[in-house]
Amino acid sequence: MSKKNKIYWFEGVTEKGVKALLSDENSKYKWLRPQRNRRVLVVLMALGLISVAMGSYWPTLKTNLNLSDGTSVVVYSVTAIFVIFAVLGGYTILRISVRSIADAPDELLDERQIKVRNTSIRYAYYAMGYLVLALLALMFFGPELKMFQPEANDGSYILIATLFAYASMPSMVMAWRERDV
């Protein structure tokens, strides 16, 4: 008798996937469970998000490095693709390290996990408020940004970094705060 694997579209998880992460059946992720390792992941994720956001200021940096146009496009493209995929991979590992509790629906969690998740989400939204305030200050006081412009400072990378941060912040807060997940 095979039970159907229920898909939770809004949360972006499946029932079997969450249950597999909640139980310690898969020993290959045990190295992600200690709080120290999860905090290292959070710091690396934050550095990756900052790197993605700084992609908006590449034209300003390019003039300071004296790169030719052909070289700068190659360096910029390869670096941007690498950093974005590294952040995406970091987000995936971060979700695994907190057992996808931040993204799981209520019916798959017990009462303690629901409370931990809800507290982490609350603090994540506080952090996002401060992050958006800092980004607005950067856009107001920093070098001029234009959205989706190949010639000038392109503000779209700040937008991409903000969306990544918005998606990963509950897992980041949970990974940082919780001793045992």
Side-chain angles (χ1 to χ4, degrees):
M1 232 171 32
S2 68
K3 184 179 176 187
K4 288 198 69 127
N5 187 16
K6 187 173 180 184
I7 298 172
Y8 296 91
W9 293 101
F10 187 70
E11 291 86 359
V13 296
T14 62
E15 183 177 8
K16 286 183 182 177
V18 171
K19 286 184 178 181
L21 287 172
L22 289 175
S23 66
D24 274 330
E25 294 172 2
N26 199 343
S27 62
K28 70 179 178 181
Y29 299 122
K30 284 190 184 232
W31 65 276
L32 292 171
R33 304 291 188 234
Q35 187 179 28
R36 179 176 168 263
N37 294 350
R38 287 183 282 128
R39 285 188 172 183
V40 168
L41 280 172
V42 169
V43 169
L44 291 175
M45 186 73 179
L47 290 174
L49 291 172
I50 291 168
S51 298
V52 171
M54 288 298 105
S56 291
Y57 294 105
W58 174 253
T60 302
L61 181 64
K62 180 178 72 171
T63 58
N64 295 338
L65 293 176
N66 294 325
L67 294 174
S68 68
D69 284 335
T71 307
S72 68
V73 170
V74 171
V75 169
Y76 177 63
S77 300
V78 170
T79 304
I81 290 170
F82 173 75
V83 170
I84 288 173
F85 277 120
V87 168
L88 192 58
Y91 172 62
T92 303
I93 293 171
L94 189 66
R95 280 183 66 179
I96 291 170
S97 74
V98 294
R99 302 173 188 242
S100 290
I101 293 174
D103 304 312
D106 285 346
E107 65 189 69
L108 298 179
L109 302 174
D110 62 19
E111 293 84 15
R112 185 192 74 81
Q113 291 169 333
I114 291 171
K115 186 175 180 180
V116 166
R117 184 207 46 208
N118 292 345
T119 303
S120 296
I121 288 174
R122 184 180 74 212
Y123 287 125
Y125 287 120
Y126 290 157
M128 280 307 298
Y130 292 124
L131 179 68
V132 168
L133 185 63
L135 289 175
L136 287 173
L138 177 69
M139 292 174 81
F140 185 69
F141 295 113
E144 183 181 350
L145 290 176
K146 296 178 182 172
M147 295 304 284
F148 309 109
Q149 298 294 322
E151 304 298 323
N153 289 339
D154 183 13
S156 62
Y157 287 98
I158 287 182
L159 180 65
I160 292 169
T162 304
L163 292 175
F164 271 136
Y166 187 78
S168 63
M169 195 63 74
S171 294
M172 290 172 72
V173 169
M174 186 178 296
W176 191 267
R177 288 188 71 234
E178 291 304 311
R179 189 169 302 278
D180 296 321
V181 178

